[in-house]
Amino acid sequence: MKKDLEIRRPSGSAKKNEPKVIGEVLSEYFKSNEPLAVVFCKRQADDEATDAAEADISQRLFRDLFPNTELGVDLKIISRKRGRMSVGEYINCMLTRDDEDHYTAVETDLRVKAAAEQRNPIVFSGVCVNVHRAADGSLYAVLKRPKFTDFYTFRDFCREAAEELRLVSGLFERQVI
């Protein structure tokens, strides 16, 4: 007697007991609401968001920088201290192309920049208010931008700013402006 090993199915029925590729099995599992699948998909999404943010930062960081290597070039460095630069040392300088194959780098004087007077300097820095002195000597207040939470509201900020303004007016009231 000969046995028929072929499974007969009615036409149009789905193939349920056939082996599946592992990718299909995992895909179905991760689409389910199983706790491990949900946590894995959330972690995957977070990692992708972090990678996208890092890629965005790196694209913005070097967006306007273009590498340029000059071969066989004369470079003359005019610095503010004697001797050669140390390996890895940086200087702030102005680079000038003098000729086809000659460049000059002149170190800038940072003391001049530090000595420059700040425009509208802050004469009082508080928690909620900064007081600036204008070029004509008059004072003006600028409110800081706080981070509001459930525990620190706009109303709380207004109270603190009012108290701080009263304190500041008392400090500068005594001075002759």
Side-chain angles (χ1 to χ4, degrees), residues 45-60:
D46 291 346
D47 289 347
E48 288 174 4
T50 303
D51 292 344
E54 288 173 357
D56 184 44
I57 289 170
S58 66
Q59 287 174 354
R60 282 187 284 139

Side-chain angles (χ1 to χ4, degrees), residues 88-145:
E89 182 180 358
Y90 291 98
I91 61 169
N92 288 329
C93 65
M94 174 64 78
L95 186 65
T96 309
R97 185 174 184 175
D98 300 333
D99 196 10
E100 185 62 32
D101 292 332
H102 189 269
Y103 291 84
T104 303
V106 179
E107 186 176 5
T108 56
D109 190 5
L110 295 178
R111 294 173 295 179
V112 173
K113 185 177 181 181
E117 188 175 329
Q118 182 184 1
R119 191 177 129 204
N120 297 346
I122 296 175
V123 293
F124 176 81
S125 180
V127 177
C128 301
V129 177
N130 284 340
V131 177
H132 294 260
R133 185 178 305 278
D136 63 354
S138 62
L139 300 172
Y140 63 95
V142 176
L143 294 176
K144 293 184 176 182
R145 293 183 179 167

Side-chain angles (χ1 to χ4, degrees), residues 18-43:
E18 288 191 14
K20 294 183 182 178
V21 180
I22 190 69
E24 290 177 22
V25 173
L26 289 175
S27 177
E28 287 177 11
Y29 179 74
F30 290 130
K31 289 178 184 174
S32 71
N33 287 331
E34 293 288 327
L36 179 63
V38 171
V39 169
F40 180 81
C41 291
K42 184 177 183 324
R43 174 72 185 264

